[in-house]
Amino acid sequence: MNAPPGAPAPAPGPPPGVARTLLEFARTEAHDITEGTVDLTMYEVDPNNTGAATSPAALKTLISDGVKDGAIKVLAMIDDQGLMREFHLPAFAHIRTGELSPYNGRFICNIGDFDPDDGNFYSAEITTANMGLANNSVHCCTADSLHTQAQAHTGAARFFVGPYAAADADVEPVHSRKIFEIPYFLISMCGRAAPDGCVTVLYFWTTLYPVIVAKGPAMVTACKALIDAFRLAATRAAAGDTSSVMDTTAAARPTMIGRDDALKKTRKALFRQILAFRRGRAEARQGDALMAASMDNQTDLLRDQFQFAKKPSSGDEEK
């Protein structure tokens, strides 16, 4: 339909394939610097729920180092409505010398994705408490059984199964941290890509779990910590429960940080370093110009070398 005479032209949209959000960026497999390697074992806890395998402090360091090396990492927690809340690109913040921020040295993430229109983002701190353990182990059925039951689920109510007892067939005690990681290959199916813009427990079991399974038994094993987190999120701990041991209140999750210019500056610097779509257009043009000049210089040098090699040596010249 044509615009009426005198109407302003519509704002041009982004060119096809241009990423403005992590969700869009992660649709391209080549952007994963780990080249498809998935290992979530550092999030696992022992059967007694002591979490002795990896302490929160060690977890933070491993995650932060990965992000600063260019890995796209997204952590998540389940809220008290059974919805997954995402925390993007967590890393230690190091404020520039001469600038001040109470968050210097803290473990900072983005709440949700970048705004697709203006690129804005909201920061939050992930604390040691946020990385704590679920209160207790719960007997859960197998992941495949949960997938089958999820497919049969109807209605708008939250998807729940159980409770189960130790004597029930095909159940085992399951334990988890409150926080877990979403592997790269699932990121583009989460957030705004999920129905109603948020991953539910039902969506995980009907849609995301089959994607994991389709990648083979090794991937299922690698994603055990994630799968166990959603096994717990789908299971009542006791009869009549309307929540799971994975559920968290707003106060128990990372909360948004108010205006902090020094923190925002250091986060932007990190994003420019690891995300191509976060580099400013002027910077991109300058980088392209420098690359072109370098290639021109290299071409000139190779041409000079070729011409020099063609010349006969002084002893071979005709007299």
Side-chain angles (χ1 to χ4, degrees), residues 115-139:
D115 188 291
D117 296 320
D118 61 18
N120 202 3
F121 59 91
Y122 301 93
S123 299
E125 180 187 3
I126 299 177
T127 65
T128 297
N130 298 146
M131 306 185 81
L133 307 175
N135 289 336
N136 55 283
S137 298
V138 173
H139 283 89

Side-chain angles (χ1 to χ4, degrees), residues 75-138:
L75 304 183
M77 301 176 79
I78 304 296
D79 73 8
D80 46 9
Q81 301 300 312
L83 305 177
M84 188 175 82
R85 300 299 178 182
E86 300 168 23
F87 309 102
H88 293 187
L89 303 174
F92 288 118
H94 296 293
I95 306 302
R96 296 179 181 180
T97 302
E99 298 183 353
L100 299 176
S101 169
Y103 296 98
N104 188 28
R106 305 285 186 88
F107 194 52
I108 305 299
C109 65
N110 288 4
I111 293 185
D113 208 342
F114 297 106
D115 188 291
D117 296 320
D118 61 18
N120 202 3
F121 59 91
Y122 301 93
S123 299
E125 180 187 3
I126 299 177
T127 65
T128 297
N130 298 146
M131 306 185 81
L133 307 175
N135 289 336
N136 55 283
S137 298
V138 173

Side-chain angles (χ1 to χ4, degrees), residues 190-239:
C190 298
R192 284 187 289 267
D196 298 320
C198 203
V199 171
T200 63
V201 176
L202 180 67
Y203 176 75
F204 177 86
W205 286 111
T206 59
T207 305
L208 300 185
Y209 176 68
V211 174
I212 299 172
V213 172
K215 288 185 173 290
M219 186 62 75
V220 173
T221 299
C223 292
K224 181 180 184 301
L226 170 64
I227 293 170
D228 282 352
F230 275 94
R231 289 171 74 187
L232 287 170
T235 306
R236 296 183 184 89

Side-chain angles (χ1 to χ4, degrees), residues 30-48:
H31 292 158
D32 180 13
I33 69 161
T34 70
E35 299 181 345
T37 300
V38 176
D39 183 0
L40 306 183
T41 55
M42 67 181 181
Y43 295 92
E44 295 179 16
V45 296
D46 70 25
N48 296 316

Side-chain angles (χ1 to χ4, degrees), residues 133-181:
L133 307 175
N135 289 336
N136 55 283
S137 298
V138 173
H139 283 89
C140 298
C141 63
T142 66
D144 288 343
S145 175
L146 271 167
H147 170 58
T148 300
Q149 293 181 73
Q151 289 179 305
H153 179 77
T154 58
R158 177 174 172 178
F159 171 59
F160 266 125
V161 299
Y164 298 104
D168 292 335
D170 296 325
V171 301
E172 63 177 346
V174 177
H175 26 271
S176 176
R177 295 188 184 279
K178 290 279 191 173
I179 204 163
F180 48 89
E181 183 177 331

